[in-house]
């Protein structure tokens, strides 16, 4: 069933002028540069940012594209200017998104025997492959065939950083937590204070030791071209790195916010462990 997105961030802009100033500042682009990139005169941009001129819907959509504003926040800008949202937000189970779900299923299966999972913008789990399920069950101490909810009720970041979750098995959690928090920090900056993203960020940083660890420099970046994850339990040590994939040029808020995280072994012993689990 279709729904029209009603972004939480809309309430944090008193008007379109405030929204435009915010996003231009966040992107670090001058009015002159934005004028050249958008084809809108610098004088008109100045009037838009001071509220002396009101934008049309097409102009807002053009600026959203030029400033690379997330679809959810483009809807917020439209609402702030008095227009209806332009981009729909639907459940991944919606029949119209069947092709997207099939593509994600295909990518998840192609990643075997290594783990892969699909999360939304707040890193709530919506899909995963069998290797990812086996890895989570092993390191979380779950029964071998215990079901893993795929309805967004599991937050991957919370599960990873929680002392009662994966953190005891994540040998280098102090080094990686800053990188993990970066994803939700970016969403919180876009949504504003009091939003769901900001609340999740507050919840994560309130976990024991997280605020202190997030302030540490990740010196591993000096030696490796990727973020290493080291999971250890019962004599098993897995050294992994991950890649994040998004779907190109979506026109739906839900699709725009989906991320596919794929895990790869960083050494031969980790590769053998996953291959053995799949056999």
């Amino acid at each position: 069933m279709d729904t029209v997105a009603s972004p939480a961030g809309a309430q944090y802009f008193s008007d379109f002028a405030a929204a435009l100033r915010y996003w231009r500042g966040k992107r670090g682009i001058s009015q002159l540069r934005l004028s050249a990139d958008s084809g809108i005169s610098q004088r008109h941009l100045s009037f838009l940012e001071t509220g002396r001129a009101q934008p049309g819907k097409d102009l807002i959509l053009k600026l959203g594209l030029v400033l690379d504003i997330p679809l959810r926040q483009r809807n917020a800008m439209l609402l702030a200017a008095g227009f209806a949202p332009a981009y729909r937000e639907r459940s991944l189970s919606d029949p119209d998104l069947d092709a997207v779900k099939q593509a994600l299923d295909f990518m998840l299966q192609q990643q075997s025997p290594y783990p892969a999972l699909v999360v939304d913008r707040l890193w709530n789990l919506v899909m995963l492959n069998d290797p990812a399920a086996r890895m989570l069950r092993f390191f979380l101490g779950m029964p071998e065939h215990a079901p893993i909810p795929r309805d967004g009720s599991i937050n991957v970041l919370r599960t990873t950083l929680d002392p009662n979750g994966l953190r005891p098995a994540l040998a280098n959690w102090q080094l990686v937590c800053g990188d993990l928090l970066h994803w939700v920090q970016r969403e919180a900056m876009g949504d504003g204070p009091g939003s769901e993203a900001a609340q999740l960020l507050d919840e994560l940083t309130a976990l024991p030791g997280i605020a202190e660890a997030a302030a540490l420099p990740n010196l591993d970046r000096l030696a490796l071209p990727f973020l290493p994850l080291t999971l250890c339990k019962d004599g098993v040590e897995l050294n992994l790195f991950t890649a994040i994939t998004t779907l190109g040029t979506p026109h739906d808020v839900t699709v725009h916010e989906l991320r596919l995280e794929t895990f790869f072994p960083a050494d031969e012993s980790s590769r053998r462990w996953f291959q053995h689990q799949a056999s």
Side-chain angles (χ1 to χ4, degrees), residues 4-184:
V4 175
S6 180
Q11 62 185 293
Y12 303 113
F13 298 124
S14 58
D15 50 36
F16 172 79
L20 179 57
R21 290 195 304 271
Y22 172 82
W23 281 105
R24 184 175 64 79
K26 185 175 181 181
R27 295 298 184 235
I29 297 176
S30 67
Q31 281 187 354
L32 181 61
R33 167 72 183 279
L34 182 57
S35 173
D37 290 348
S38 66
I40 302 169
S41 74
Q42 185 177 358
R43 182 170 183 268
H44 190 48
L45 287 173
S46 177
F47 283 3
L48 289 171
E49 289 195 359
T50 58
R52 293 177 64 186
Q54 295 302 312
K57 185 172 184 177
D58 289 344
L59 184 145
I60 296 174
L61 295 176
K62 175 187 284 188
L63 288 172
L65 183 64
V66 173
L67 290 170
D68 191 26
I69 299 173
L71 299 191
R72 181 179 294 273
Q73 300 307 325
R74 294 183 205 180
N75 279 343
M77 293 180 76
L78 287 164
L79 286 169
F83 296 104
Y87 303 99
R88 291 177 296 180
E89 181 174 8
R90 293 172 283 191
S91 167
L92 195 55
S93 62
D94 190 294
D96 286 346
L97 298 184
D98 280 349
V100 173
K101 190 173 185 301
Q102 289 172 9
L104 291 170
D105 276 327
F106 178 78
M107 288 187 280
L108 288 171
Q109 296 310 312
Q110 289 296 109
Q111 179 63 11
S112 295
Y114 308 119
L117 45 86
V118 178
V119 297
D120 64 18
R121 74 187 186 107
L122 298 182
W123 290 79
N124 297 311
L125 182 65
V126 294
M127 299 174 70
L128 77 168
N129 65 4
D130 289 340
R134 285 194 293 267
M135 181 178 72
L136 287 175
R137 291 188 189 105
F138 177 76
F139 285 104
L140 288 172
M142 299 171 64
E144 184 177 354
H145 298 292
I148 296 179
R150 307 175 190 206
D151 56 2
S153 60
I154 293 180
N155 184 272
V156 173
L157 295 183
R158 185 185 298 114
T159 300
T160 301
L161 297 177
D162 194 322
N164 297 314
L166 278 175
R167 192 205 290 188
L170 185 58
N172 61 337
W173 72 269
Q174 290 180 308
L175 293 178
V176 305
C177 73
D179 294 76
L180 298 180
L181 290 176
H182 164 75
W183 294 98
V184 69

Side-chain angles (χ1 to χ4, degrees), residues 222-261:
L222 301 178
L224 295 173
F226 52 78
L227 172 65
L229 301 172
T230 302
L231 292 165
C232 301
K233 182 184 177 184
D234 298 341
V236 174
E237 178 177 310
L238 299 181
N239 292 292
L240 311 169
F241 66 95
T242 70
I244 306 296
T245 303
T246 58
L247 300 180
T249 61
H251 295 276
D252 180 279
V253 173
T254 300
V255 177
H256 183 258
E257 295 175 347
L258 291 176
R259 301 184 183 99
L260 173 69
E261 182 174 22

Side-chain angles (χ1 to χ4, degrees), residues 173-212:
W173 72 269
Q174 290 180 308
L175 293 178
V176 305
C177 73
D179 294 76
L180 298 180
L181 290 176
H182 164 75
W183 294 98
V184 69
Q185 285 173 334
R186 185 170 63 178
E187 298 295 338
M189 286 179 63
D191 288 0
S195 65
E196 190 177 4
Q199 291 171 11
L200 175 60
L201 179 60
D202 289 343
E203 179 185 343
L204 294 175
T205 54
L207 291 172
I210 293 297
E212 296 81 4

